[in-house]
Amino acid sequence: MSSKKKARIILYSIEEALFGTILILALLTILGVANVWDMAEAKLMVVATLTAMCLLPLVPLVEKILKVDFSIIVDIFICVDVCLSVLLGEAFNFYYDVPNWDKILHFFGTAQIAFLGFLLATFFLRKTNTGTHQLLFAAIFGFFFAIAIESLWEVYEFTMDTLTGSNMQKYMPESFLQYIDENGNWIGDEATLIEFYSSQAGRQYAVHDTMWDIIVDSLGSAAGISVALLITYQKPEWATRFLMSHQEAIALEAAENEDTLSADEH
C-alpha cells in the first residue's frame, strides 16, 4: 500500500469517527435521550454530518472516474474545510458567534474548487489539445466551474432546509430557531415575527445572505485562479504534483522509493 493511501485511510477514519460521534449525539437529542442542541440545531447537525461523511470519499471516486491522481494535500484541504464548516461552524456555533464565518468559508472553499478546476482543465488540455490559449481557457473554466459547484451547493442547502426544516441557508436569525417546532411551524409570538419581516432587513434577510454568498464565491474563485496561474508560471513542477495520471503517479512513487533505497544504502 502506498504512503498516500495509508495517509488517506488514517485521515478519513479520523474524520468519519468524529462526524459519526456528532451524528449520534444529534440523533440522541432528537430522540430526547440527550440535550446537546435544541431540536432545530439537532436536525441541522444530522443533515450536516451525513453530508460531510458522504463528501469525504468524493476525491477517490473522482480519481477512479477520471483516471487521475490527486495529491494528498487535496484530501487534507477538503477535510479541513468540512471540519471548519460542520464541527466549528455548526456544532460549536461559529456561524453565529464569529462574524462572517460563513463568508470566510465560502471564499476559501470556492478558491480551492477554482484551483482544482484549473488543474483539471490544464491536465486534459495537455493530453488532447495543442492550442496556444490553454491557460486562458483553463482559467475561464476553473472560474465558472467553482461558481457552478457553489450554486449547486446553494440548491442542496435550499432542498435540505425545505425537506427537513433545517437552517443551512441561514434564512432565519438564530434567535428565532427556538420558536420553530419539529414540524417547522412558528410557535412563538406572532407579533415578533410580523415586526421582523415587516422591516426591510427582515424581508431581505434570506436573499441578502445568498447574494453575498454568490459575491464572495466570485471573489474566491478569482483568487483561486490567480494562485493557480501564479504557481503555473513560477513553479510549474508544483502544479503537476497536485494532479497527474495514475501512470505518472505510479512512476513518481517508484522513483521516490528508489531514491529512498539508494539513500539508505549509502
Side-chain angles (χ1 to χ4, degrees):
M1 183 182 294
S2 66
S3 57
K4 175 191 168 182
K5 288 183 178 179
K6 291 179 181 177
R8 177 177 280 174
I9 289 175
I10 294 173
L11 184 64
Y12 284 13
S13 297
I14 294 173
E15 293 274 348
E16 294 288 357
L18 179 62
F19 293 131
T21 301
I22 297 174
L23 175 61
I24 292 172
L25 291 174
L27 291 174
L28 291 176
T29 299
I30 293 174
L31 294 173
V33 178
N35 188 28
V36 183
W37 301 283
D38 62 37
M39 187 62 66
E41 291 174 329
K43 286 183 177 181
L44 178 56
M45 291 310 307
V46 170
V47 174
T49 51
L50 287 176
T51 301
M53 294 172 76
C54 292
L55 282 177
L56 289 178
L58 188 60
V59 174
L61 178 62
V62 172
E63 285 182 336
K64 186 174 182 179
I65 293 174
L66 299 181
K67 295 180 173 59
V68 297
D69 197 279
F70 289 107
S71 167
I72 188 63
I73 296 176
V74 175
D75 297 272
I76 293 173
F77 272 124
I78 291 176
C79 287
V80 169
D81 287 341
V82 174
C83 278
L84 292 176
S85 176
V86 177
L87 183 61
L88 296 182
E90 301 292 2
F92 289 95
N93 224 32
F94 273 37
Y95 278 122
Y96 294 104
D97 296 338
V98 179
N100 297 314
W101 183 256
D102 181 52
K103 302 302 177 283
I104 293 171
L105 296 189
H106 267 277
F107 181 87
F108 286 104
T110 312
Q112 292 168 36
I113 297 173
F115 184 85
L116 289 179
F118 177 88
L119 292 181
L120 282 170
T122 53
F123 174 81
F124 287 111
L125 285 173
R126 189 169 68 246
K127 300 292 183 181
T128 62
N129 188 282
T130 57
T132 57
H133 301 292
Q134 291 189 16
L135 290 182
L136 175 61
F137 177 83
I140 294 173
F141 172 83
F143 178 83
F144 288 106
F145 173 75
I147 294 176
I149 294 295
E150 289 294 340
S151 298
L152 291 176
W153 179 253
E154 292 291 336
V155 172
Y156 173 76
E157 287 186 337
F158 171 77
T159 302
M160 289 297 101
D161 287 346
T162 302
L163 295 178
T164 68
S166 60
N167 191 35
M168 294 185 73
Q169 287 188 297
K170 306 299 180 286
Y171 61 87
M172 181 175 292
E174 183 190 20
S175 59
F176 283 10
L177 296 179
Q178 59 183 315
Y179 302 116
I180 303 297
D181 66 14
E182 58 185 13
N183 297 316
N185 299 316
W186 176 264
I187 58 175
D189 182 10
E190 291 188 2
T192 302
L193 192 65
I194 293 172
E195 180 183 0
F196 177 74
Y197 285 106
S198 295
S199 66
Q200 182 178 5
R203 291 193 301 273
Q204 294 184 345
Y205 190 83
V207 70
H208 185 272
D209 180 77
T210 300
M211 286 307 302
W212 271 110
D213 284 349
I214 295 173
I215 293 170
V216 173
D217 288 341
S218 300
L219 295 174
S221 186
I225 294 301
S226 299
V227 173
L229 287 171
L230 181 63
I231 292 177
T232 300
Y233 282 115
Q234 299 296 325
K235 296 287 184 179
E237 68 277 9
W238 289 8
T240 56
R241 286 294 187 97
F242 276 103
L243 176 64
M244 59 185 72
S245 67
H246 283 320
Q247 292 78 11
E248 290 171 337
I250 292 172
L252 177 63
E253 185 176 358
E256 290 177 345
N257 290 337
E258 185 176 342
D259 291 340
T260 301
L261 289 175
S262 300
D264 291 340
E265 290 176 356
H266 292 293

